[in-house]
Each structure stands twice: as structure tokens, then as C-alpha cells.
Amino acid sequence: IYFGNKMASTGYEIYQQKLQLLQEDVLVQTEEYFWRIVALEKKLNTLENYISLVDTLQKDVNNAYKSGLVQRTDLLKVQLKRNELDVNKIKLINGIRLLKQTLCQHIGIKYDSSFTLQYDTITIDFPNFYDFDLNYIVENRKEYKMLEQSVKVEELQKKLVYGEYLPQLAIGAAGIYNDMMDKTTTNGLIFATLSVPITDWWGGSHKIRESSAKVAAAQYKLMQTSQLLNLQINKALNDLYENYYQIQVASKSVEQSKENLKITQDNYKAGIVSVSELLEAQAAYQETLNNQTETICNYKIALAKYLQATNKYLK
């Protein structure tokens, strides 16, 4: 009875750990959906700015064509680019709507077309701030604690099996009181029985060895999981550093492509470069802005996963 109660208590603790783990998974997935939507919305904003540039260019080229300063092929190139941007805009709008619907379904609310996300300026911290003692973190991970409890359950189960095949001693006492013809007598009796399970001893020894093997298997799984969790944490930290440095590279690329676009625009006005070169410079600038947005949002997702891996997400 004692070991059975202990097993029930341990099983409840495992259930609580599983529940907390599930809640954390839901929150991290929610944050990932959030940043995916942010990335697409920022890309849409970049695309709309790009469309404004192309619209202005189209007006200039159209006027130049009417004046006989450029060929029709230059105008067609700008018009084709404008059509391409319209298609990309539709794709982004559909992607944003689909992700919002997915997020609403994930968090259990009804989707509405007016559903919007609120967020302040996105800040990026250097990953050193998130370094932790890995050995301490592993031992406090919910997965590790659940397996620790599983080892405990197997050990208790072994004790239960072992107890079933031990000799059992029963002690009892009885008293008899007689009152006949004004004479009373009192008798007492004490007895003990010893039960030795012989008939199933052979099968019992196999069950005991089987329980010992299950304990050993649970301990090995705990050790193996500890190593895997350590690897997972290191990978999460590497991903965090990688995304951080990708942001630095993307930011430099934005500055360089912006400068290149300005020079190309000036050269186009001076008649030094063609429409194709200007369109190419505009496309390169948009691409670097999109890459910067992507790396920032990927960093935020990587940060959430690292905090989850280090058991710090909800703390």
C-alpha cells in the first residue's frame, strides 16, 4: 500500500511536468507564428515602398518615351517589373492572412479580418546575456525530471514485485469472556502464521529480474536524454549566435545597397546608366531589406527556442 501510494504520487508529478511542458510548447509556437507574421508585414511594407519607387520611375520613363528620349523597351521593362510586384503583393497579403488564421486557431480565438498585431520597436541583445550553466539547466529541464520520476516509478515497481515473493508474517490475538452461574472466566489466545510463497518462486525470480532490467533501462534512458538535452541546448545557443551575426551582415548589406541605389539613381538622371540597371539596384535594395527583416525575426524565434531549451522561457 505504501509503495502503491508513492507510485501514484510520482505519477501525478510526471503528469504535472507534462502539462507544464505542453503549455510551454504552445507559448513558444505562438511566438513563432507571431514573428512569422511580423516578418511578412514588414516585407509587405518594404514592397509597397518599392512599388512607389517603380511607379515614379514608370511616370518618368513614360514621359521620356513620349518625348522620344527612350525606347519602348525601357517602358516595357518598368511595366513588367510593376506587374511582378503586384503578384508578389498578392502573395504576401494571402500569406499574412493565412498565418493570422493559423495563429487564431492555435490560441483558440475566432479569426477576424480586422485582427492586427501590436509590437514596439524590435530590440536585439547580444547572446552573451543568455549564457547559463548547462549542467544545472539540464537537471532542471522538465524532460529530465520526468525521466527521473520514471526511474523512481520503476524502482518502486521493483519493490512491489519483490515484496510479493517475500515470506509474510501475520500476528493476531483473541479473547473469550464467559459468565455462567455467577462465575466468570477469561481466556486469551495469541497466534502467528508464517506464509512462504514456494509454488510461484521460480516465476517470481524472473519477475524480479525483469523489474531490475526495467530500472536499468530507465536509468540508461535518463543518462542518454541528459546528453541529448545538452546537445540541444548547445545547438540552440549556436543558432542564436548565428542569427545574431546574420543580422550584423544583413544590416551592412542594407547600408551598401542603399548607397548603391542612390548612386545608380543619380547616374540614371545623368543618363549614364540604363533603366535595367536602376531596376536592378532597386531590386537589390528591397532584397537586402527583406533579408534584414528575416534575420531579425529568425533571431527572435531562435531566442524563444533557446530560452525554452534552457528552462528560462517562463521565468
Side-chain angles (χ1 to χ4, degrees):
I1 293 174
Y2 171 78
F3 289 129
N5 289 336
K6 290 285 289 184
M7 286 181 63
S9 176
T10 304
Y12 179 76
E13 291 176 11
I14 294 175
Y15 168 78
Q16 289 294 103
Q17 294 289 341
K18 284 184 178 179
L19 181 61
Q20 293 175 14
L21 190 62
L22 178 61
Q23 291 173 338
E24 201 168 88
D25 286 340
V26 170
L27 290 173
V28 172
Q29 184 63 62
T30 301
E31 186 166 351
E32 182 171 353
Y33 286 140
F34 173 86
W35 289 115
R36 296 298 182 200
I37 295 172
V38 170
L40 289 184
E41 287 182 341
K42 286 188 171 294
K43 287 181 180 180
L44 179 60
N45 184 60
T46 300
L47 180 61
E48 288 173 343
N49 292 333
Y50 185 18
I51 289 174
S52 296
L53 289 175
V54 174
D55 284 343
T56 301
L57 178 61
Q58 186 173 356
K59 290 178 183 178
D60 294 340
V61 173
N62 190 45
N63 292 333
Y65 171 68
K66 289 179 180 179
S67 302
L69 300 175
V70 298
Q71 298 180 356
R72 179 169 172 75
T73 54
D74 290 334
L75 180 60
L76 289 173
K77 288 177 183 178
V78 179
Q79 290 173 341
L80 287 172
K81 175 58 68 174
R82 186 64 174 80
N83 294 339
E84 177 187 330
L85 296 180
D86 283 339
V87 173
N88 292 340
K89 184 176 180 178
I90 292 173
K91 289 180 179 179
L92 279 174
I93 291 174
N94 289 338
I96 292 170
R97 182 172 62 250
L98 181 60
L99 268 177
K100 285 184 176 180
Q101 290 173 344
T102 303
L103 176 60
C104 289
Q105 187 275 334
H106 180 69
I107 61 179
I109 64 174
K110 186 178 180 180
Y111 170 74
D112 187 272
S113 58
S114 62
F115 175 74
T116 57
L117 300 181
Q118 299 293 329
Y119 51 91
D120 299 323
T121 304
I122 303 173
T123 58
I124 303 297
D125 297 319
F126 188 70
N128 269 348
F129 177 73
Y130 302 104
D131 286 342
F132 301 112
D133 181 356
L134 294 184
N135 291 329
Y136 173 80
I137 292 300
V138 167
E139 293 177 359
N140 283 273
R141 280 282 296 266
K142 296 175 182 63
E143 296 91 334
Y144 185 90
K145 288 188 173 181
M146 287 166 56
L147 287 175
E148 268 191 329
Q149 298 298 329
S150 296
V151 172
K152 186 178 178 181
V153 167
E154 293 298 341
E155 289 174 343
L156 290 170
Q157 183 65 42
K158 178 183 175 181
K159 291 179 179 179
L160 282 173
V161 173
Y162 188 73
E164 290 177 0
Y165 297 96
L166 287 177
Q168 298 182 13
L169 177 65
I171 301 175
I176 302 174
Y177 175 80
N178 292 323
D179 186 359
M180 298 179 62
M181 300 178 65
D182 296 330
K183 291 183 180 181
T184 62
T185 59
T186 303
N187 297 312
L189 176 64
I190 297 176
F191 59 88
T193 60
L194 179 63
S195 175
V196 180
I198 296 176
T199 55
D200 197 29
W201 182 253
W202 176 256
S205 63
H206 282 286
K207 289 184 178 180
I208 292 172
R209 283 198 296 270
E210 181 183 353
S211 296
S212 298
K214 288 182 178 179
V215 171
Q219 290 172 340
Y220 176 77
K221 187 174 181 180
L222 177 63
M223 180 191 68
Q224 188 180 45
T225 300
S226 174
Q227 296 172 350
L228 292 174
L229 290 176
N230 203 310
L231 289 173
Q232 183 192 47
I233 294 170
N234 277 289
K235 182 182 181 303
L237 180 59
N238 290 339
D239 290 344
L240 195 62
Y241 274 108
E242 182 180 328
N243 280 281
Y244 179 80
Y245 287 114
Q246 284 180 352
I247 291 174
Q248 314 310 310
V249 174
S251 298
K252 290 180 181 179
S253 297
V254 168
E255 294 175 4
Q256 293 166 351
S257 63
K258 184 177 181 181
E259 183 180 358
N260 178 64
L261 176 59
K262 184 179 183 305
I263 294 172
T264 306
Q265 286 173 331
D266 292 339
N267 289 338
Y268 174 75
K269 291 177 182 178
I272 300 175
V273 300
S274 65
V275 171
S276 298
E277 291 174 291
L278 179 57
L279 288 172
E280 184 179 342
Q282 290 175 338
Y285 180 57
Q286 185 213 16
E287 184 178 355
T288 56
L289 287 174
N290 286 340
N291 287 340
Q292 184 185 46
T293 297
E294 192 75 26
T295 55
I296 290 173
C297 292
N298 284 342
Y299 175 85
K300 288 295 187 180
I301 294 171
L303 174 59
K305 291 182 177 180
Y306 178 70
L307 292 177
Q308 182 188 28
T310 53
N311 208 34
K312 298 289 183 180
Y313 187 77
L314 295 178
K315 295 182 181 180

